[in-house]
Amino acid sequence: MAKKQFKAESKRLLDLMINSIYTHKEIFLREIISNASDAIDKLCYRSLTDETVGMAREDFLIRIEADKDARTLTVRDNGVGMTKEELESNLGVIASSGTRHFRDALAEDEAAGDVDVIGQFGVGFYSAFMVSDKVTVISRAFGEDQAWKWESSGADGYTVTACDKDAVGTDVIMHIKPDADQEEYSAYLESWKLKELVKKYSDYVRWPIHMQVERREWDEKGGEDGKGAYNTVVEDQVVNTMVPIWQRPRDQVSDEDCKAYYKEHFHDTADPVSVIRVNAEGLTSYRAMLFIPSQAPYDYYTRDYQPGLQLYSSGVMIMDKCPDLVPEHFRFVRGVVDSPDLSLNISRELLQHDRQLKIIAGNLEKKIQSELKRLMDEDREKYETFYKAFAPQLKYGVVGDYGMNKDKLQDLLLFHSADKDKLVSLKEYADAMGEDQKKIYYACAETVKRAAALPQAETVKAAGCDMLCLTDDVDAFVMQMLGRYAEKEFCNVTNDDLGLESDQEKKDAEEKAEQSKELLDFVKESLGGAVESVRISHKLKSQPVFLTTEGEVTLEMEKYFQSLPGVPETERIKAKRVLELNGSHPAFGALEKAYREDKPRAARLAMVLLAQAQLIAGLPLDDPAAYTELVCGLF
């Protein structure tokens, strides 16, 4: 029979289909299996109203057969099959999809129920040419006695001839290409590889997928020496799960089942702290099973980590990690989303960014936020386990995107309470505030112990107020971004006005500063530009000195920017430092005495006080040896 040319497209288009549309060659098996599943769907749907079909639902199946000697891979189905005309129109015209037409008809049929089909573009079949140099399709349509064979070696065209086939259905026979330097096509003839691809892409196709699978079995009496040997046993297996765990009724799947699924499929050794199950129906229908981990993967806080949920469409995996389904601040969430309503691109490997996707992502964000808040309120131990691993992620979410998500995340934050010596939420802190307390106090340091021991904390404690001890680099930015909570301003005890001093205390400090103006100017000059100014403090109680700043850049921010790699020293942001002295401390009295009697000694005392303030603030000394010599020289 004369070879026919593809009707709709040129050789160039078919080359594009084969070489450019699909990212990975292994995707071909997913496409062929999806077509087989659609064919069975059509006949099963027909059986609802046509008694002549004569097949029960449990009779439908897909079979995969590999012949290494002939280098053929066959995918068989007992679905609706195709007539000669349908072979011509479906396979002879690129991008013509019989499944798409069937889907359109179903949309108008209210009796169709939950019938769902996968394909819609009519291009998936041609992915077979990525791994095959010839493809043969033998099909017999339901209600027809005559079968037909469609055969093609690629863009040169195809033939359609009459043939024999015992049963209704379609066989797609792919002649696998010879191995090349960069491609080992023979792997697609190995049962282990085929099973792996089915599990990866088509595990949840609704019809059973059968294939011959080899396994090794110990024979105690085997072997030439009679000591036993391994034999290769070939058995027929159903290699797909068919009904995924997230599609099963909730009363048939326990939380323990879900946790076991999580650990197996997402390669975690620990149980998740929570499982979120969603079954949404409406304009956008989808099912989801989400997991909140209890520990961070080893690469979580690196650039190599790839966030995202597994995305399925009608049981066929479309993307292993779809980042658009979870916001950046919840990137730790793992899980799956399955929806028949997503608009996929032509290769089914990527999503068209449409309204349905945004609706699903928005709903999942609310579910995750709600579940985290529930854990915090009802199971604090589990939440703190989670928070220990992912607190920085939530905090980065607060400061990211110019604070756009701060209102969603602020009630999920925990900070260490100096008074209660445990983690508390902002709401718990605010609820415990006295009626007269106007601000939420916090201090930043490398550890909780150092934050609680800061000299400025004495005033807060003396006033009967609690203080939050912040130890993460990002914490200072978080507080600055939040600004206030429950109508209470955040107050950095190091820099801000505490609002706790009496008018008399402030007046005394101002008078002392006026009296000591010459001394304060002398100290600043002696320190050679190391500080922006020197002041008498009205915050200090028992400590002689501390270091604060003026302007928007705090010492904590300076430390953070100093830690960034690759930034030259000359370009690093620095805070404007202010040295505050306790005018009633004996150290200040000694400084005053030295200023009157021995100014060189007073200058050395000023440098000692600055060094002490740096140490209290957790800042390194520029020259520790010089500091030691300076102190020893005062004896």
Side-chain angles (χ1 to χ4, degrees):
M1 184 177 179
K3 183 175 290 186
K4 298 185 178 183
Q5 297 301 311
F6 288 105
K7 295 179 181 178
E9 314 293 346
S10 65
K11 180 178 186 298
R12 180 183 175 191
L13 177 56
L14 186 54
D15 286 341
L16 177 66
M17 304 286 295
I18 296 170
N19 299 314
S20 300
I21 286 181
Y22 295 96
T23 307
H24 305 292
K25 287 183 170 60
E26 65 183 26
I27 216 79
F28 83 95
L29 190 59
R30 179 194 74 180
E31 296 299 316
I32 302 303
I33 289 174
S34 296
N35 289 343
S37 177
D38 288 346
I40 296 176
D41 285 335
K42 294 172 186 177
L43 188 56
C44 182
Y45 172 67
R46 188 165 180 172
S47 70
L48 299 176
T49 56
D50 189 343
E51 295 180 357
T52 64
V53 172
M55 293 180 65
R57 185 181 179 89
E58 56 268 21
D59 296 329
F60 293 112
L61 59 86
I62 299 168
R63 183 173 294 280
I64 300 174
E65 298 176 358
D67 186 331
K68 294 181 182 179
D69 294 331
R71 290 190 70 80
T72 58
L73 175 63
T74 302
V75 177
R76 305 183 190 277
D77 69 69
N78 55 356
V80 72
M82 288 179 280
T83 64
K84 179 183 178 183
E85 291 73 21
E86 288 170 333
L87 280 170
E88 291 267 9
S89 61
N90 292 340
L91 305 186
V93 181
I94 300 174
S96 174
S97 172
T99 296
R100 181 183 58 206
H101 302 318
F102 181 67
R103 181 195 294 266
D104 293 341
L106 282 180
E108 301 175 3
D109 185 355
E110 295 181 358
D114 64 351
V115 175
D116 186 30
V117 288
I118 302 167
Q120 59 179 310
F121 292 106
V123 300
F125 166 78
Y126 299 96
S127 64
F129 287 102
M130 292 192 297
V131 299
S132 312
D133 50 27
K134 184 174 71 172
V135 179
T136 302
V137 178
I138 298 175
S139 188
R140 178 181 158 191
F142 172 75
E144 299 284 333
D145 294 326
Q146 180 64 60
W148 297 91
K149 179 169 70 173
W150 181 99
E151 197 163 61
S152 175
S153 296
D156 290 339
Y158 63 93
T159 60
V160 179
T161 57
C163 66
D164 294 326
K165 190 175 190 305
D166 293 336
V168 168
T170 300
D171 300 349
V172 179
I173 306 165
M174 294 160 279
H175 189 272
I176 302 300
K177 295 177 181 179
D179 292 340
D181 291 339
Q182 302 297 324
E183 298 288 350
E184 189 177 347
Y185 294 104
S186 296
Y188 300 121
L189 297 169
E190 298 290 345
S191 61
W192 66 267
K193 180 65 174 179
L194 297 170
K195 184 177 180 180
E196 176 187 277
L197 294 182
V198 171
K199 297 298 289 184
K200 181 176 182 180
Y201 293 108
S202 305
D203 196 31
Y204 306 123
V205 167
R206 73 177 72 196
W207 308 110
I209 301 173
H210 290 253
M211 61 178 291
Q212 298 288 309
V213 178
E214 296 179 354
R215 64 178 177 85
R216 300 188 72 192
E217 186 178 79
W218 179 255
D219 182 0
E220 294 183 356
K221 299 180 179 180
E224 296 181 358
D225 55 5
K227 295 183 179 180
Y230 280 103
N231 295 328
T232 299
V233 178
V234 179
E235 60 184 13
D236 187 80
Q237 289 184 3
V238 175
V239 293
N240 63 321
T241 306
M242 290 181 282
V243 181
I245 190 171
W246 60 85
Q247 292 282 9
R248 300 173 196 168
R250 185 181 290 264
D251 59 1
Q252 295 181 14
V253 181
S254 68
D255 279 353
E256 294 307 313
D257 294 332
C258 296
K259 291 173 183 178
Y261 171 86
Y262 165 77
K263 289 195 286 188
E264 178 183 356
H265 285 76
F266 295 100
H267 311 295
D268 198 344
T269 57
D271 285 345
V273 295
S274 185
V275 180
I276 303 172
R277 292 188 258 187
V278 183
N279 181 10
E281 296 181 352
L283 294 177
T284 300
S285 299
Y286 66 94
R287 288 177 182 261
M289 181 173 285
L290 309 181
F291 304 93
I292 300 175
S294 59
Q295 60 185 15
Y298 72 94
D299 62 344
Y300 182 77
Y301 290 105
T302 71
R303 293 181 180 179
D304 295 333
Y305 181 78
Q306 294 181 330
L309 304 180
Q310 289 185 344
L311 179 65
Y312 288 78
S313 180
S314 302
V316 176
M317 192 176 80
I318 304 303
M319 297 179 69
D320 186 43
K321 292 179 180 177
C322 179
D324 299 311
L325 285 170
V326 284
E328 178 67 16
H329 46 272
F330 291 152
R331 72 200 295 260
F332 48 80
V333 174
R334 312 298 297 274
V336 297
V337 173
D338 191 345
S339 173
D341 294 336
L342 296 174
S343 298
L344 307 178
N345 74 346
I346 197 168
S347 68
R348 290 207 295 251
E349 293 179 289
L350 300 172
L351 289 169
Q352 310 282 9
H353 292 265
D354 60 7
R355 186 168 142 308
Q356 286 85 359
L357 179 65
K358 292 179 180 178
I359 290 173
I360 293 174
N363 289 343
L364 293 182
E365 180 182 18
K366 292 176 184 176
K367 293 284 186 182
I368 296 166
Q369 179 184 353
S370 176
E371 178 61 14
L372 289 173
K373 189 64 173 67
R374 186 197 68 78
L375 278 176
M376 176 191 280
D377 295 340
E378 300 177 10
D379 198 337
R380 180 57 71 89
E381 184 177 353
K382 275 189 177 181
Y383 187 79
E384 291 190 12
T385 297
F386 153 80
Y387 194 76
K388 182 179 180 181
F390 299 107
Q393 185 62 56
L394 295 178
K395 293 173 182 178
Y396 293 142
V398 170
V399 300
D401 294 327
Y402 303 100
M404 184 175 67
N405 298 297
K406 65 180 182 181
D407 291 339
K408 301 175 184 176
L409 300 175
Q410 61 182 2
D411 284 321
L412 300 178
L413 301 176
L414 296 176
F415 300 101
H416 195 95
S417 160
D419 182 49
K420 298 179 175 59
D421 194 25
K422 66 178 184 179
L423 291 174
V424 298
S425 68
L426 294 177
K427 184 178 186 306
E428 290 165 342
Y429 179 99
D431 288 346
M433 289 172 60
E435 292 184 4
D436 296 333
Q437 185 177 337
K438 306 300 182 184
K439 300 182 180 183
I440 298 175
Y441 299 103
Y442 70 91
C444 299
E446 286 77 9
T447 64
V448 169
K449 185 176 180 180
R450 293 190 69 166
L454 287 173
Q456 302 92 318
E458 285 186 291
T459 302
V460 176
K461 185 176 181 180
C465 300
D466 194 5
M467 184 183 75
L468 300 176
C469 302
L470 314 185
T471 57
D472 285 341
D473 290 339
V474 71
D475 284 338
F477 299 95
V478 170
M479 294 307 190
Q480 193 174 69
M481 184 59 70
L482 290 176
R484 59 176 57 239
Y485 181 84
E487 303 304 319
K488 305 288 185 179
E489 291 185 0
F490 288 99
C491 178
N492 185 340
V493 301
T494 302
N495 304 325
D496 301 333
D497 182 2
L498 301 179
L500 297 174
E501 304 85 356
S502 66
D503 293 339
Q504 186 60 48
E505 288 174 325
K506 289 184 179 180
K507 182 179 179 181
D508 292 343
E510 291 171 359
E511 290 178 354
K512 184 68 174 179
E514 184 64 28
Q515 296 169 5
S516 308
K517 186 177 185 306
E518 287 187 11
L519 173 58
L520 298 179
D521 291 341
F522 172 80
V523 171
K524 178 184 177 182
E525 183 179 352
S526 299
L527 297 179
V531 296
E532 193 75 15
S533 63
V534 182
R535 302 172 185 166
I536 295 296
S537 175
H538 52 79
K539 295 181 181 178
L540 290 171
K541 296 292 184 183
S542 63
Q543 296 290 335
V545 66
F546 77 86
L547 203 60
T548 184
T549 61
E550 60 183 33
E552 293 185 357
V553 181
T554 66
L555 291 175
E556 294 75 32
M557 293 178 182
E558 178 186 301
K559 293 175 191 176
Y560 172 77
F561 289 122
Q562 292 283 346
S563 69
L564 295 177
V567 181
E569 181 68 29
T570 55
E571 297 180 13
R572 291 182 176 176
I573 297 176
K574 293 187 178 181
K576 295 179 180 180
R577 303 184 182 191
V578 176
L579 184 66
E580 294 203 12
L581 303 173
N582 185 346
S584 60
H585 195 278
F588 188 80
L591 180 64
E592 287 181 307
K593 184 175 186 296
Y595 177 68
R596 292 193 302 268
E597 301 173 359
D598 186 351
K599 283 186 171 54
R601 177 180 174 82
R604 292 195 295 273
L605 285 174
M607 288 187 280
V608 169
L609 288 171
L610 174 62
Q612 288 178 328
Q614 287 177 298
L615 292 172
I616 291 171
L619 296 171
L621 299 179
D622 294 334
D623 190 344
Y627 171 70
T628 302
E629 185 178 347
L630 180 66
V631 172
C632 292
L634 293 173
F635 293 118

